[in-house]
Amino acid sequence: MARVPYLDKAFPEVNQVWNEVSAKLKEVYAEVGLEMSLIELVCVRSSQMNRCGTCLSIHVPRALEAGVTQRQIDILPSWRESGDEFSAQEKAALDLTEQLVRLPEGVRNSGAGERALTFFNEQQVAALEWCIIMISANNRVSIASHHPVRKY
């Protein structure tokens, strides 16, 4: 059986630009005052929703290093029912993540971005949305490429 190509290897020049965008976004997160623990929490939730084992094997360790607790990762799929395990700010970011990853049919704008403005300024919401878009795209690249789950 033929193996599908790794998209990142098939067009390395596209992958290079992709990596530059990711690096720039890390600068943006710092510039707008978003903690890496929040960014990694969003990346883990998106990767869970998209069922991307490769990205989970990357972002779970990063989340732990950034200060997300193991308990938060364990209960992340049920964050809405988690009581006070997540801050109001984290919940707003997770709501935004779920709305952008799912893109519910028949709903042009879920209002998650507006709700997030209660806890973040406009630049922070925009940076979070870029984060969600990028990790979702990364999930799809890894899934399409059949990237392996990384070893810890």
Side-chain angles (χ1 to χ4, degrees):
M1 177 184 252
R3 199 186 72 66
V4 298
Y6 282 6
L7 296 176
D8 47 338
K9 303 283 188 245
F11 297 101
E13 63 282 359
V14 173
N15 191 59
Q16 176 60 38
V17 173
W18 190 275
N19 289 336
E20 290 169 12
V21 171
S22 293
K24 182 60 181 175
L25 282 172
K26 284 183 182 177
E27 293 174 18
V28 167
Y29 306 145
E31 288 170 12
V32 301
L34 291 174
E35 297 290 328
M36 284 310 296
S37 59
L38 183 68
I39 296 299
E40 291 299 337
L41 188 67
V42 163
C43 289
V44 171
R45 185 64 188 128
S46 175
S47 299
Q48 287 175 334
M49 293 176 69
N50 288 318
R51 299 176 313 277
C52 183
T54 302
C55 291
L56 283 167
S57 70
I58 294 167
H59 290 284
V60 167
R62 286 184 185 174
L64 291 167
E65 288 175 16
V68 176
T69 67
Q70 183 64 57
R71 180 162 173 79
Q72 286 176 308
I73 291 170
D74 292 344
I75 64 173
L76 188 53
S78 63
W79 67 268
R80 290 181 191 275
E81 292 80 33
S82 68
D84 62 355
E85 294 289 336
F86 297 92
S87 70
Q89 191 179 50
E90 290 168 331
K91 288 178 181 180
L94 292 169
D95 181 39
L96 185 60
T97 302
E98 290 186 354
Q99 294 305 310
L100 285 178
V101 169
R102 283 192 187 121
L103 295 174
E105 189 136 351
V107 178
R108 174 141 166 63
N109 186 332
S110 69
E114 289 83 1
R115 290 189 299 276
L117 286 169
T118 303
F119 304 98
F120 302 99
N121 65 42
E122 287 182 24
Q123 287 187 319
Q124 290 172 322
V125 170
L128 279 169
E129 288 176 333
W130 270 111
C131 173
I132 296 160
I133 291 163
M134 286 298 290
I135 187 60
S136 292
N138 280 329
N139 295 155
R140 284 155 176 79
V141 167
S142 285
I143 291 166
S145 299
H146 297 238
H147 287 159
V149 173
R150 293 190 181 178
K151 305 278 186 222
Y152 291 134

